[in-house]
Amino acid sequence: MSSMDPELYLYNLTLNKPFASIGSIVGYFTNVDKNSQKKRKYQELIIATNSSLHLYRLNPNEGKLIKILEHDCFSVIRAIDVFRVPGGSKDCVVLTSDSGNLTLLTLNQSNTKFEIIHNEPYAKTGLRRITPGEYISVDGKNRAMMISAIEKNKLIYILNRDSDDSILISSPLEANKSKNLTFFTCGLDVGYDNPLFVSIECNYEDDTNQGKKFLNYYQLDLGLNHVLKKYSEQIPDTSNYLLSIPGGADGPSGVLLCSKNLIQYKFLNKKNHSIPLPRRRNANLESFIISGIVHKMKGSFFILLQNNLGDLFKITIDYNSETIDNPGDVNSIEIQYFDTLPITKKLLIFKSGFLFADSENSDKYLYQFEKLGDDDENAKSWNSTNYPDEESVFEDEDVTFDIKSLDNLGLVDILESINPVVDTKLLKLPKTRDDSDLEDIPTLYSLCGTGARSSLKILNHEILTNELVSSELPADAQKVFTTKLSSSDEFDKYLVLSFVDGTLVLSIGETVEEVTNSGFSLASPTVGVQQLGTNSVAQIHSNGIRYLTYDKNNQAAEPNLTEWFPPAGIKIQSCSSTSTQIILGLSNRELVYFELDEKDELIEFNQRVEMSAQILSLSLGDLNAKNKLRSKFLAVGTADEMISILSCDPDDCLEVLSTQLLSSQPSDLMIMEMANQYSSGINSEAIPSSSSLYLHIGMKDGIYARVLLDERSGEVSDSRRCVIGTKPVKLAHVNISNQNMIMIFSSRTFIGFNSKMSSLANDFKVLPLKDKIFTYSFNFKSEDCQENGCVGVYRNNLTIFTINEVANDLLIESIGLRYTPKKMCESNKDNGIMYVIESDYNITSPFVKEDVAEEDLKNGQQIEHDENEDVEIYQQFGYPQEQNKWGSCIQVVSTIDKSILQTVELINGNQAAFSLTQCTFKKEDNGDESEGEDYLIVGVSSNQTFLPNGSTENCLLCFKILSNGLLKFIHKTKTDSLPLAMTSFQNKLLIGLQNNLILYDLGLKQLLRKSFASLNCKQIVKIEVMKDRVVIGDIRNSIIFLTYTALDNKFIPFIEDVMSRHITTFKMIDYDTVIGGDKFGNIFLLRCSSEASDMTVEDNHGTYLATKEKFLNGAPYRLNNLCNFYLQDIPTSFNKGQLSLNSYSGSDSLIYTGLQGTIGILLPMVFKSEITFFVKLQNLLREELAEYGYLITGRDNLKYRSYYSPTKGVIDGDLIEKFSMLNYSGKSKISKILDRTPKEVEKKIIEMRLRVYF
Amino acid sequence: MVIREQQLYENLKTKYIGLGNTDTTREEWMDNVYRDTYANMVMHNPELHHLSIVLNKPQLLTRMSMIEKMVQPVQGQKQQKP
């Protein structure tokens, strides 16, 4: 097949966006209305990841960051900064990307989306070392900005504003110097003098000063419109950070230059001031500043710097505040320890007194300032007056301080992030409780985070319930209802349970008690309960209606009873009701309709309608939302697989308005209004801005569908359907956070709702409840449970629970780990146990006890299992650092108890674990029946160093897996180099050592070498096996397939890739196909031709393959490349399977994770028509979105997805879903070409989404 | 003619760093490849992130050391390997 028409198409959807930031900014991005001062705008935060922008609004009253907007850029974002042109009314964003454009953005206030102000092209697309854009620095007064490349190029743009308040940008001025490397740049604040930029640079071909760093000052002469290098001075070789000091009227101007253990104040040729960078007591590693922030307040400013251990320092600058024109000189600077936070990429301070720590790894934090560190008299501080020059700083030995827990800052909010994701497994938990019918959904188990903050995260896409009460019932309940007794009641009074042969009525109050004098019929099952009129309740049971009117003043008294009976021998099978209407479906296919008259009497409509078939389900609407007199429509589902919409209007009562044929019998129906659009209010609560009427349909074969019901004509359209389970689907209404939602019952319980925050407008989601299953549930409101309450029944259990939040994001559960995780493997015993290896470089492990017995040391192991209470301290401060030291351990994690069962710390000889596998060795002489014993093999190196790699000893540690899943050390086997890849293969162990494959079997004293093969590659990083086939991934030579001939005990490479890809991970998805990822962020699918594949199967000795002529010095055959896709994030794992229940939704898909937190799915596309549709749509969208201005950096999407190799066989679902962002004319333009309506196109897009339940 | 070509080459070389001709030595060529590689690691954030996790070093410092390596990429490597 040609590249135009690949054999296979995959649909790529990103389920979780990467959240590792490259920068973040804070500002007033929405227009500040100068005329109305009363409404103060909130400050907003933009976090830029490598591929998208995330906008948050700070609510200072609650101290919460609320997500407002997410924008996929479809390009590689390099740097971001904020500016406000002098006199402008709001802040704007400047960003650089691989598009070669300088992008200026503004936030549109009305519909909150980013709008392009300018996209100034300045370079070719792609990233080269001389492409400017790596650094952006904005002048202190926002008059100009400098865009620099790593090497040579610097461009300076002048910003201006015209009379219409629109921003103008000049053509760039160049400040290039060849063979010059730039490390850091910064725009100085010099008031209204000519803008000045500083940068740390070094020249690589200057003989005298090669490698020496210089601080260069570039001045932009606004009058002459040119740039000159004003001043240059040599600085320490370790300088790495610059922070501009406010100038003009606000401060002395100048810059803080940070180097190893040193901070200097510099400003042209003015006097320098030096202070030491304090170090922690007992920490002997160098200290560097990695981020900082200057916060300007009225008349003063506040500086915080963070070092590479996370310690924050406060810098105070003492200066003579002289006239505005002539800023005073600095007298001294002072440094003081402030607090310790996780290592950040960027620190940001909000005007309302919050600090945002944009952590490099894991969650991001919002802190509130409690004080500014001024009050502590005893705090140690260092003043520059004591240090006349640089040398004196290093001579001072008293530069240590003691760390303390958070004191000046208080944590108020957390933005959850799973980055970095090191490894992930898609697993289905074993059944923990035998009695539970809960069918588990395969869940992702990810190794996330670094250092002491790392964890094994369980990523559920489920909704959390909060159980309040659970009690047992005498029998299995079919249905449950709650009801008020009077329309004025605030809370529900009765809880009615319907059994197969009776009814139980309970009163809701402080205690739940059985009510005997309720007036309800207890002998027959209840079909429905409805509070009607002011003081009445109707119980609809299978043999009639009991219409009960309660005494207004004494509800406990016996109610006044009116009864209605169906014809003899006829039963009521289904019913539906509103507070003024009741409709009954009788077993003789007749519909009986009642309405309440003004005197609260129930009047039967004079005509009964006979349906075409048995009535299975009925639904009237819901009156609560609007003060309507009656629901206008009635939906009737009949056994002939049809739904009829009937009118309830007095004029044409019970006349059929429309009908709809279904694929299966409708087991339940529900007409309900649902909000479908939300506008985010200032207080950031999403407010429903429009809603529509929907008919929800549950079908007998486990399908749930939602159709739009036209509020005038009763026509149905726009259906969304998904497979929910295997049992007939029942529906119930729930109200959560004042939002109407639908509860769907089948094999599992689901909630369907319109998502508040989503890239898709009108995005309907169906998510399962976590750990809970019900057959039916009903809203529940009592004094103790005023909001979001539900009562549900399952078999003979009654549960009252609340659902506090329906998040669209992942539900993350964490199990804390000790060090940065490297790899994991699951137990083959189906006991939910995971083995994780963890190692951290450059730390000394506090878990190594000094008093380890000699014997343990000899074994190389110490097995300890004591809970260390210092974990929290290490999470805040990190482990003590020491050059070239390792901390490493193997942990046994139970995913059922969510706890660590065992930790094996590697304490001998500075060891670090790099690979592991579970392996079953079978003793051959024991006869064929023997089960084989499970072992865990861990690849370990001693004194490992990087750049360049080196180690003193490498070995394989062999642990026996005991019956309870714990590990027992057996022996170790030395190897020549570090084993990075290993797997269990035909009851033996197969490892990859550099370019060698070695097969080991278990021996008494060590592992025994059984076979050996040397391959044409560099370093094997992963091995996968299937039957007698071995596939290896190489660190730079892509994938090689080998076949193992058991008769000759030989590995024969027979097919390899044409490209040399730098494999990070791959997965065999079938015998001939692999999906892989490389370190540049590509995903690709490779397939072995059937000719080559057959050859390995037919030839037992492999003689033909072994003797076949080599092709271009490699294996005789080459792999076919089926799919290519640029992901941007580095793929770290692939899993084949489903994120949904069982195999309801058909075929398996591929789930991948990326290092920076991407979780994505590749769905195989089956139908030709589907493929052509999406390919066409994708092409049209690429153009239309660019025209519409959604692709804000101006990067061509096709080129972006073909960043390294031309994209092939993959449809960019993320782009497709942006269809809904288009305006109406754009949508209809595309739809017209596709010969469909915009609604139909949207439906097709959402159907793809519903296939993955995300 | 040769001088003119030489001038043209020099001119282009200032514009397109990494341009080579028949006189380019192996070291110069390798220097150039290494510089491109290090710069790429720095410019593509996932790669820098990857590296900084392995080295247990903040991204800013990893970035600095990568750019520092661009000064003398080949010689620097030789010095490190005894």
Side-chain angles (χ1 to χ4, degrees):
Chain A
M1 293 234 183
S2 70
S3 62
M4 296 301 289
D5 192 12
E7 287 174 51
L8 181 73
Y9 260 106
L10 298 169
Y11 188 85
N12 172 65
L13 268 178
T14 305
L15 306 179
N16 189 51
K17 291 203 178 93
F19 203 43
S21 71
I22 55 130
S24 46
I25 49 174
V26 63
Y28 294 100
F29 298 106
T30 33
N31 239 323
V32 182
D33 195 356
K34 280 181 179 165
N35 301 329
S36 65
Q37 286 292 330
K38 60 180 183 211
K39 259 194 190 169
R40 269 204 66 107
K41 297 286 173 183
Y42 293 125
Q43 265 185 312
E44 283 141 337
L45 165 76
I46 295 176
I47 300 173
T49 70
N50 206 212
S51 56
S52 57
L53 300 177
H54 302 249
L55 178 79
Y56 288 84
R57 186 169 290 158
L58 175 76
N59 184 338
N61 305 329
E62 289 173 37
K64 274 208 167 331
L65 286 168
I66 296 110
K67 193 171 207 167
I68 305 288
L69 184 63
E70 239 179 52
H71 192 105
D72 290 330
C73 294
F74 297 103
S75 76
V76 180
I77 302 175
R78 301 176 73 188
I80 186 167
D81 212 335
V82 57
F83 70 95
R84 178 190 290 212
V85 175
S89 58
K90 61 174 177 175
D91 291 331
C92 300
V93 184
V94 52
L95 60 96
T96 54
S97 64
D98 66 336
S99 66
N101 296 337
L102 180 72
T103 309
L104 303 185
L105 296 174
T106 173
L107 194 70
N108 171 325
Q109 194 180 14
S110 59
N111 49 3
T112 51
K113 64 168 195 168
F114 288 105
E115 275 180 358
I116 303 166
I117 308 173
H118 287 292
N119 242 340
E120 281 289 305
Y122 61 77
K124 279 196 270 193
T125 57
L127 304 180
R128 272 156 275 267
R129 64 190 215 246
I130 56 162
T131 313
E134 190 59 20
Y135 311 100
I136 302 176
S137 39
V138 182
D139 157 59
K141 287 280 175 284
N142 297 257
R143 294 163 298 170
M145 57 176 83
M146 182 163 79
I147 316 293
S148 336
I150 290 178
E151 186 172 326
K152 189 180 151 190
N153 290 350
K154 284 192 179 60
L155 298 176
I156 292 176
Y157 286 91
I158 304 167
L159 298 166
N160 243 316
R161 197 166 56 96
D162 69 5
S163 51
D164 308 334
D165 209 14
S166 53
I167 293 158
L168 303 175
I169 186 163
S170 73
S171 46
L173 301 167
E174 291 189 335
N176 300 347
K177 187 164 190 312
S178 56
K179 290 161 187 166
N180 214 31
L181 299 172
T182 307
F183 292 86
F184 207 92
T185 70
C186 170
L188 283 188
D189 186 356
V190 288
Y192 289 101
D193 279 354
N194 279 328
L196 202 56
F197 298 95
V198 283
S199 68
I200 301 175
E201 290 171 25
C202 98
N203 194 300
Y204 64 73
E205 233 161 54
D206 185 336
D207 288 336
T208 49
N209 287 321
Q210 190 185 38
K212 297 267 183 291
K213 283 185 183 165
F214 285 83
L215 188 67
N216 292 338
Y217 292 74
Y218 293 92
Q219 189 176 49
L220 167 69
D221 193 322
L222 285 170
L224 296 172
N225 206 27
H226 83 136
V227 183
L228 80 160
K229 194 159 121 188
K230 195 172 182 192
Y231 187 73
S232 178
E233 87 179 281
Q234 196 180 336
I235 51 172
D237 287 350
T238 54
S239 299
N240 68 326
Y241 192 80
L242 294 169
L243 190 71
S244 142
I245 305 293
D250 303 321
S253 189
V255 66
L256 285 181
L257 172 75
C258 310
S259 318
K260 182 170 94 185
N261 300 336
L262 173 74
I263 296 173
Q264 286 168 297
Y265 169 82
K266 291 199 183 267
F267 187 35
L268 294 170
N269 48 6
K270 286 195 183 174
K271 187 180 177 324
N272 287 349
H273 296 271
S274 306
I275 40 168
L277 182 49
R279 268 157 285 166
R280 287 183 192 176
R281 196 176 297 284
N282 303 329
N284 34 14
L285 259 158
E286 305 96 359
S287 187
F288 286 95
I289 292 298
I290 54 156
S291 66
I293 176 85
V294 179
H295 184 61
K296 272 190 250 180
M297 295 172 288
K298 264 187 193 128
S300 68
F301 56 87
F302 176 73
I303 305 172
L304 280 180
L305 291 172
Q306 188 182 34
N307 76 355
N308 56 340
L309 294 174
D311 302 327
L312 284 182
F313 299 98
K314 186 185 146 187
I315 308 273
T316 322
I317 294 182
D318 177 35
Y319 65 100
N320 306 327
S321 46
E322 285 183 14
T323 55
I324 290 169
D325 305 323
N326 183 23
D329 288 334
V330 169
N331 298 326
S332 67
I333 53 176
E334 197 176 76
I335 189 164
Q336 190 187 338
Y337 171 60
F338 193 71
D339 259 335
T340 301
L341 306 181
I343 287 164
T344 61
K345 190 98 193 181
K346 191 91 189 250
L347 286 167
L348 294 169
I349 295 178
F350 289 92
K351 285 229 161 66
S352 40
F354 291 91
L355 175 81
F356 179 68
D358 189 358
S359 320
E360 272 188 9
N361 296 312
S362 304
D363 301 342
K364 303 178 193 306
Y365 302 103
L366 183 73
Y367 298 91
Q368 186 163 28
F369 281 101
E370 276 158 14
K371 52 191 200 290
L372 297 180
D374 310 319
D375 56 341
D376 195 353
E377 296 288 318
N378 305 323
K380 229 173 169 180
S381 65
W382 291 263
N383 198 300
S384 64
T385 46
N386 301 327
Y387 305 97
D389 56 9
E390 239 176 89
E391 275 68 39
S392 61
V393 170
F394 297 119
E395 281 160 15
D396 187 2
E397 281 171 6
D398 183 30
V399 290
T400 56
F401 63 90
D402 293 310
I403 46 177
K404 60 179 168 63
S405 53
L406 280 186
D407 172 28
N408 296 309
L409 297 167
L411 182 66
V412 288
D413 198 12
I414 299 174
L415 297 184
E416 272 191 337
S417 165
I418 57 169
N419 91 84
V421 180
V422 184
D423 199 0
T424 301
K425 292 246 185 288
L426 179 72
L427 289 179
K428 212 167 149 175
L429 254 190
K431 274 215 167 138
T432 46
R433 298 164 297 249
D434 294 331
D435 57 319
S436 158
D437 294 322
L438 196 69
E439 218 172 323
D440 267 307
I441 296 175
T443 312
L444 289 169
Y445 295 86
S446 289
L447 294 179
C448 304
T450 53
R453 291 167 72 224
S454 53
S455 55
L456 176 73
K457 296 208 178 202
I458 305 168
L459 309 174
N460 287 303
H461 196 58
E462 298 179 336
I463 288 173
L464 206 60
T465 55
N466 178 17
E467 185 178 305
L468 299 177
V469 186
S470 179
S471 71
E472 226 163 88
L473 300 171
D476 287 5
Q478 305 293 310
K479 283 199 162 186
V480 62
F481 309 93
T482 58
T483 184
K484 302 171 182 178
L485 296 184
S486 142
S487 60
S488 56
D489 282 349
E490 197 186 339
F491 303 116
D492 290 325
K493 285 278 155 61
Y494 281 177
L495 182 70
V496 182
L497 288 157
S498 167
F499 301 97
V500 181
D501 54 354
T503 295
L504 186 68
V505 182
L506 304 169
S507 73
I508 303 165
E510 275 177 24
T511 54
V512 175
E513 281 171 355
E514 196 176 335
V515 188
T516 44
N517 61 347
S518 60
F520 279 56
S521 160
L522 303 179
S524 48
T526 303
V527 187
V529 176
Q530 177 68 46
Q531 195 275 321
L532 291 151
T534 44
N535 279 318
S536 312
V537 172
Q539 180 207 11
I540 301 132
H541 56 94
S542 57
N543 294 322
I545 301 178
R546 285 172 81 87
Y547 184 66
L548 308 154
T549 310
Y550 289 85
D551 188 339
K552 219 183 300 177
N553 305 317
N554 183 12
Q555 287 181 343
E558 192 89 9
N560 185 5
L561 171 71
T562 325
E563 274 192 287
W564 178 92
F565 294 106
I570 306 292
K571 296 225 170 206
I572 299 175
Q573 286 193 318
S574 52
C575 80
S576 177
S577 54
T578 67
S579 55
T580 56
Q581 300 156 290
I582 294 178
I583 183 90
L584 304 178
L586 304 183
S587 55
N588 61 353
R589 310 200 299 206
E590 275 182 341
L591 281 178
V592 190
Y593 180 63
F594 298 89
E595 253 190 61
L596 217 60
D597 68 0
E598 295 83 24
K599 291 178 209 139
D600 275 5
E601 271 168 46
L602 210 52
I603 311 294
E604 186 185 340
F605 183 60
N606 53 16
Q607 193 188 340
R608 293 185 185 175
V609 176
E610 191 174 333
M611 299 307 290
S612 54
Q614 197 68 253
I615 298 162
L616 297 175
S617 46
L618 290 167
S619 177
L620 287 162
D622 181 13
L623 297 191
N624 301 343
K626 288 174 191 166
N627 251 339
K628 284 186 294 189
L629 201 60
R630 62 170 70 83
S631 161
K632 207 174 151 190
F633 302 115
L634 161 69
V636 184
T638 43
D640 52 355
E641 302 185 352
M642 194 157 77
I643 291 175
S644 316
I645 308 294
L646 275 62
S647 167
C648 292
D649 243 21
D651 303 336
D652 52 354
C653 197
L654 298 189
E655 261 175 51
V656 177
L657 296 174
S658 65
T659 54
Q660 172 84 35
L661 277 173
L662 302 175
S663 57
S664 168
Q665 292 183 348
S667 54
D668 207 354
L669 292 172
M670 177 76 70
I671 296 177
M672 198 163 80
E673 202 160 21
M674 278 175 130
N676 48 19
Q677 251 172 16
Y678 293 87
S679 57
S680 47
I682 277 295
N683 278 332
S684 8
E685 271 296 294
I687 302 158
S689 58
S690 82
S691 60
S692 325
L693 206 57
Y694 292 100
L695 173 63
H696 303 265
I697 307 161
M699 293 183 224
K700 204 182 163 191
D701 59 358
I703 291 175
Y704 159 78
R706 187 188 75 157
V707 293
L708 191 68
L709 192 60
D710 190 296
E711 281 179 57
R712 285 161 195 276
S713 65
E715 294 284 335
V716 294
S717 60
D718 191 25
S719 85
R720 306 273 155 82
R721 37 179 282 150
C722 53
V723 189
I724 288 296
T726 47
K727 295 180 188 165
V729 178
K730 289 276 169 203
L731 303 168
H733 161 250
V734 281
N735 194 309
I736 288 154
S737 318
N738 296 322
Q739 200 189 348
N740 277 335
M741 296 185 191
I742 185 113
M743 199 89 115
I744 308 158
F745 312 95
S746 181
S747 314
R748 277 284 293 260
T749 306
F750 291 79
I751 285 189
F753 60 98
N754 275 324
S755 159
K756 286 183 192 174
M757 231 340 272
S758 167
S759 53
L760 287 168
N762 191 10
D763 186 6
F764 183 64
K765 298 215 174 212
V766 176
L767 295 184
L769 290 187
K770 184 165 173 52
D771 296 340
K772 285 275 184 301
I773 176 165
F774 298 107
T775 39
Y776 197 74
S777 82
F778 212 82
N779 273 328
F780 180 84
K781 197 174 178 190
S782 79
E783 229 163 314
D784 302 322
C785 169
Q786 306 214 353
E787 265 185 333
N788 306 339
C790 284
V791 53
V793 284
Y794 182 67
R795 290 195 178 165
N796 62 344
N797 265 306
L798 174 82
T799 310
I800 298 173
F801 60 97
T802 58
I803 295 168
N804 296 330
E805 201 182 0
V806 284
N808 315 313
D809 300 326
L810 293 164
L811 190 66
I812 303 171
E813 288 176 275
S814 295
I815 305 168
L817 300 176
R818 189 172 280 184
Y819 307 114
T820 309
K822 297 281 176 197
K823 280 189 179 102
M824 66 172 157
C825 81
E826 76 268 22
S827 165
N828 61 357
K829 286 281 186 296
D830 198 28
N831 52 5
I833 285 179
M834 300 267 195
Y835 302 97
V836 185
I837 49 166
E838 300 151 36
S839 16
D840 259 335
Y841 187 42
N842 279 350
I843 63 155
T844 45
S845 171
F847 300 100
V848 179
K849 296 274 157 58
E850 304 254 326
D851 53 347
V852 184
E854 270 297 302
E855 196 53 31
D856 289 337
L857 279 169
K858 234 176 242 167
N859 288 339
Q861 305 308 321
Q862 180 218 356
I863 296 170
E864 57 163 317
H865 186 215
D866 57 334
E867 281 301 308
N868 203 318
E869 283 161 16
D870 300 336
V871 169
E872 263 180 36
I873 294 178
Y874 296 122
Q875 281 178 352
Q876 194 195 348
F877 300 103
Y879 293 113
Q881 303 212 341
E882 193 175 336
Q883 199 82 42
N884 294 337
K885 285 274 179 210
W886 284 89
S888 183
C889 68
I890 305 156
Q891 289 193 308
V892 184
V893 187
S894 164
T895 54
I896 297 170
D897 309 337
K898 304 194 171 54
S899 65
I900 308 275
L901 300 181
Q902 185 189 16
T903 305
V904 180
E905 181 82 30
L906 300 176
I907 52 157
N908 194 13
N910 198 18
Q911 284 177 324
F914 284 92
S915 55
L916 89 166
T917 187
Q918 174 164 6
C919 195
T920 311
F921 292 108
K922 206 180 255 180
K923 288 197 189 82
E924 278 160 15
D925 49 331
N926 263 13
D928 298 340
E929 301 302 311
S930 72
E931 252 286 283
E933 286 180 324
D934 291 332
Y935 291 87
L936 189 78
I937 316 291
V938 180
V940 165
S941 77
S942 299
N943 297 318
Q944 179 73 36
T945 53
F946 294 121
L947 302 169
N949 292 350
S951 57
T952 53
E953 189 194 58
N954 302 287
C955 57
L956 297 165
L957 302 180
C958 181
F959 295 88
K960 189 169 185 233
I961 298 175
L962 306 175
S963 57
N964 55 3
L966 300 186
L967 302 174
K968 184 173 173 264
F969 179 69
I970 303 290
H971 54 59
K972 76 174 185 182
T973 312
K974 281 192 186 174
T975 56
D976 299 336
S977 61
L978 175 62
L980 275 184
M982 51 176 70
T983 185
S984 170
F985 178 61
Q986 303 196 344
N987 295 319
K988 291 189 180 68
L989 172 74
L990 185 64
I991 67 161
L993 277 187
Q994 292 189 334
N995 64 335
N996 302 322
L997 268 182
I998 304 174
L999 192 65
Y1000 279 105
D1001 203 349
L1002 186 74
L1004 280 177
K1005 289 266 164 102
Q1006 66 160 57
L1007 295 167
L1008 307 169
R1009 196 148 122 165
K1010 292 287 174 192
S1011 180
F1012 175 89
S1014 187
L1015 305 176
N1016 179 23
C1017 61
K1018 170 85 180 161
Q1019 167 78 62
I1020 298 168
V1021 291
K1022 192 171 164 100
I1023 308 174
E1024 286 248 312
V1025 292
M1026 201 179 274
K1027 288 193 265 185
D1028 57 355
R1029 182 164 292 179
V1030 178
V1031 179
I1032 63 117
D1034 185 69
I1035 202 159
R1036 70 170 190 216
N1037 276 357
S1038 198
I1039 304 273
I1040 302 174
F1041 280 53
L1042 302 102
T1043 182
Y1044 175 69
T1045 56
L1047 294 171
D1048 299 337
N1049 192 20
K1050 257 195 208 160
F1051 291 96
I1052 303 165
F1054 67 95
I1055 193 163
E1056 61 186 35
D1057 195 9
V1058 282
M1059 273 180 78
S1060 41
R1061 302 172 201 267
H1062 297 218
I1063 303 290
T1064 53
T1065 184
F1066 73 90
K1067 168 106 190 153
M1068 273 181 104
I1069 50 179
D1070 61 38
Y1071 195 54
D1072 289 328
T1073 319
V1074 293
I1075 184 154
D1078 70 13
K1079 75 161 182 178
F1080 305 111
N1082 296 300
I1083 281 184
F1084 48 86
L1085 200 90
L1086 300 170
R1087 184 169 282 173
C1088 170
S1089 65
S1090 58
E1091 181 201 354
S1093 185
D1094 292 346
M1095 208 69 80
T1096 63
V1097 180
E1098 287 161 11
D1099 190 358
N1100 281 341
H1101 287 277
T1103 29
Y1104 177 76
L1105 284 170
T1107 51
K1108 188 167 162 58
E1109 201 183 326
K1110 287 192 168 175
F1111 181 64
L1112 296 172
N1113 274 332
Y1117 295 98
R1118 288 293 179 271
L1119 289 161
N1120 291 331
N1121 179 208
L1122 297 188
C1123 297
N1124 273 330
F1125 192 66
Y1126 178 58
L1127 195 68
Q1128 198 167 355
D1129 199 356
I1130 301 175
T1132 51
S1133 74
F1134 289 99
N1135 282 285
K1136 186 178 147 189
Q1138 289 178 330
L1139 284 175
S1140 51
L1141 274 170
N1142 277 349
S1143 46
Y1144 301 153
S1145 59
S1147 56
D1148 276 350
S1149 34
L1150 296 163
I1151 296 123
Y1152 59 82
T1153 55
L1155 182 78
Q1156 299 199 313
T1158 314
I1159 299 174
I1161 191 162
L1162 292 162
L1163 299 162
M1165 297 181 85
V1166 192
F1167 303 110
K1168 188 87 188 160
S1169 62
E1170 204 173 69
I1171 294 169
T1172 32
F1173 171 79
F1174 279 110
V1175 169
K1176 247 182 172 175
L1177 177 60
Q1178 180 176 245
N1179 289 339
L1180 291 167
L1181 270 174
R1182 277 176 178 149
E1183 281 171 34
E1184 195 59 34
L1185 283 170
E1187 225 165 88
Y1188 182 63
Y1190 187 85
L1191 306 175
I1192 46 173
T1193 60
R1195 178 72 159 151
D1196 182 353
N1197 178 266
L1198 182 62
K1199 284 184 185 158
Y1200 165 69
R1201 290 300 185 190
S1202 310
Y1203 198 93
Y1204 287 92
S1205 48
T1207 177
K1208 182 172 159 185
V1210 181
I1211 286 163
D1212 187 355
D1214 297 342
L1215 183 86
I1216 298 273
E1217 289 193 343
K1218 297 296 172 289
F1219 179 78
S1220 59
M1221 308 298 284
L1222 289 174
N1223 54 11
Y1224 186 75
S1225 69
K1227 281 183 192 173
S1228 49
K1229 188 174 145 198
I1230 289 180
S1231 318
K1232 214 172 189 178
I1233 302 171
L1234 292 168
D1235 214 11
R1236 282 181 167 83
T1237 63
K1239 271 251 157 71
E1240 282 169 345
V1241 176
E1242 268 175 0
K1243 188 185 155 191
K1244 278 202 92 100
I1245 295 168
I1246 285 179
E1247 271 176 3
M1248 288 309 286
R1249 196 26 100 158
L1250 281 177
R1251 270 187 214 173
V1252 288
Y1253 291 83
F1254 248 88
Chain B
M1 205 46 196
V2 176
I3 294 166
R4 205 184 131 73
E5 250 174 40
Q6 186 67 29
Q7 273 179 345
L8 188 71
Y9 170 71
E10 290 298 337
N11 196 9
L12 283 171
K13 195 165 163 62
T14 51
K15 208 169 168 187
Y16 306 106
I17 50 165
L19 190 71
N21 67 359
T22 46
D23 297 332
T24 308
T25 62
R26 188 184 154 80
E27 271 70 34
E28 279 169 18
W29 167 254
M30 289 307 287
D31 268 346
N32 200 37
V33 171
Y34 276 110
R35 280 194 187 117
D36 280 340
T37 308
Y38 288 131
N40 258 288
M41 283 175 175
V42 169
M43 287 188 291
H44 292 92
N45 186 255
E47 276 184 67
L48 185 71
H49 196 177
H50 197 215
L51 211 57
S52 90
I53 292 166
V54 173
L55 298 175
N56 196 11
K57 204 168 165 184
Q59 284 181 34
L60 186 83
L61 299 183
T62 315
R63 162 199 287 271
M64 288 296 152
S65 60
M66 287 297 128
I67 303 178
E68 273 162 16
K69 278 167 185 279
M70 287 172 71
V71 174
Q72 275 189 322
V74 174
Q75 279 182 339
Q77 283 232 329
K78 276 183 190 158
Q79 279 162 13
Q80 276 183 336
K81 277 181 194 160

